Amino acid sequence: MTLFAKSGLFVAALITAANANAHRVHAEQVVVGRTVPEQQQISMDRADHGAWTRLLSKFVDDQGQVNYREWRQSPADILALDEYLGTLSAASTSAPASRQARLAFWINAYNSVTVKGILREYPTTSIRNHTPRLVGYNIWKDLLLVVGGRKFSLDDIEHQVLRKMGEPRIHFAIVCAARSCPRLLAEAYTAAQLEQQLVANTRHFFADSDNFRYDSDRRQFQMSSILKWFADDFGSDQARQLRSIAPYLPTSEAFAAANGNSVRVSYLKYDWSLNEQPVK
């Protein structure tokens, strides 16, 4: 094959990929929530997450596993989730609100939209079944929540809103419906309880051997891939990153090793299977 022929094939492949990407950009978009006139919008300080707590307490167990089957079979509870998402739409993105209220709002928004997306696809075995890179509907990009008149995807909420707020513990609160995610709390995050909730869920995350293991003989940490993917959110180098998680580690030995940056770090395989309660 000549060089020109090879070049022609390469260009054709690029065009094919570009066309596929353009098709994904124009994939079906699913909008949840509602449009609320600006004069009727409220501060996130006033957002009420009680309906979300009621749904979570009904369908989520203490390990954060979700009974999607029963939820999907309950039209009243599907409607209740839609109505809750509609209340989130009434929040203003520009009105003054406390940092705690904004964090709680967006964590709840991410988690409730994710649940909505899974219920829409259920039965399914993994959110990754619905996140194609190029072609077609992608839950993370094409499921949009209206807030304050603007549309936010799950990617927008995570990367453009929450991560920019400088609170790395959001990674132990937002739940992408996978078993290796942090547990989904069976209650909504609230401004008043936010610090206690973040501390509790972060400690719970590191207490799970599927997320964190310390081999003292080898002086090695094995950690969730979340700590690799979002390493910069925890600090600019390994020493800072380990110090940031040290207070939440399950033993004093692990705490000391993290504070002293005296370990090698490797990462555990991520389990993308659905965070679903086992069928009884």
Side-chain angles (χ1 to χ4, degrees):
M1 183 179 291
T2 67
L3 177 61
F4 290 109
K6 291 179 179 178
S7 298
L9 288 174
F10 178 68
V11 171
L14 287 178
I15 292 172
T16 299
N19 288 338
N21 190 56
H23 181 65
R24 203 226 66 75
V25 169
H26 297 291
E28 172 194 8
Q29 292 188 327
V30 176
V31 179
V32 297
R34 59 196 174 95
T35 300
V36 177
E38 185 175 359
Q39 63 271 23
Q40 296 177 20
Q41 294 171 20
I42 63 172
S43 166
M44 290 181 186
D45 283 330
R46 295 173 53 201
D48 183 356
H49 302 291
W52 183 226
T53 288
R54 288 189 288 275
L55 288 167
L56 291 169
S57 64
K58 183 173 182 178
F59 293 108
V60 179
D61 65 22
D62 59 1
Q63 295 302 308
Q65 304 304 298
V66 184
N67 192 337
Y68 293 107
R69 182 185 302 270
E70 286 194 8
W71 201 333
R72 186 68 181 85
Q73 293 173 349
S74 172
D77 292 310
I78 294 288
L79 177 60
L81 177 56
D82 289 340
E83 289 176 343
Y84 171 67
L85 294 171
T87 69
L88 297 181
S89 297
S92 169
T93 59
S94 58
S98 70
R99 182 172 182 272
Q100 292 87 348
R102 288 184 288 114
L103 277 166
F105 178 92
W106 288 112
I107 292 170
N108 292 331
Y110 185 96
N111 291 342
S112 57
V113 172
T114 299
V115 168
K116 174 65 180 178
I118 294 297
L119 290 172
R120 183 174 179 269
E121 305 298 335
Y122 193 83
T124 187
T125 58
S126 172
I127 194 170
R128 293 307 300 267
N129 296 338
H130 314 286
T131 59
R133 292 190 176 188
L134 294 177
V135 180
Y137 167 79
N138 184 317
I139 281 181
W140 290 332
K141 300 178 184 296
D142 298 313
L143 180 59
L144 308 174
L145 172 66
V146 180
V147 179
R150 295 174 53 194
K151 296 175 183 176
F152 293 84
S153 69
L154 287 168
D155 273 2
D156 292 334
I157 295 171
E158 180 176 11
H159 302 297
Q160 302 305 317
V161 180
L162 281 168
R163 291 183 64 198
K164 291 187 175 181
M165 294 182 70
E167 173 50 83
R169 292 175 300 177
I170 60 129
H171 295 298
F172 312 116
I174 58 175
V175 182
C176 62
R179 289 199 176 275
S180 285
C181 286
R183 66 174 173 177
L184 179 61
L185 280 187
E187 63 182 15
Y189 286 84
T190 65
Q193 297 296 318
L194 181 67
E195 180 61 22
Q196 297 94 312
Q197 290 170 318
L198 289 176
V199 167
N201 230 37
T202 303
R203 286 178 174 161
H204 183 275
F205 184 85
F206 284 107
D208 186 340
S209 61
D210 287 338
N211 300 323
F212 175 79
R213 302 168 192 170
Y214 175 40
D215 186 328
S216 57
D217 293 333
R218 296 183 178 181
R219 302 198 68 76
Q220 181 179 28
F221 281 177
Q222 291 180 287
M223 300 195 296
S224 166
S225 291
I226 289 172
L227 280 298
K228 175 175 65 175
W229 298 332
F230 303 108
D232 290 345
D233 292 0
F234 295 88
S236 57
D237 56 34
Q238 179 175 294
R240 290 178 174 84
Q241 291 158 11
L242 291 179
R243 282 200 298 271
S244 75
I245 66 170
Y248 308 103
L249 299 184
T251 67
S252 58
E253 292 80 10
F255 171 83
N259 261 337
N261 190 28
S262 57
V263 292
R264 292 180 296 110
V265 174
S266 63
Y267 298 96
L268 298 161
K269 184 177 180 180
Y270 208 79
D271 183 354
W272 285 103
S273 58
L274 194 65
N275 62 339
E276 181 174 21
Q277 290 180 18
V279 177
K280 297 179 180 179

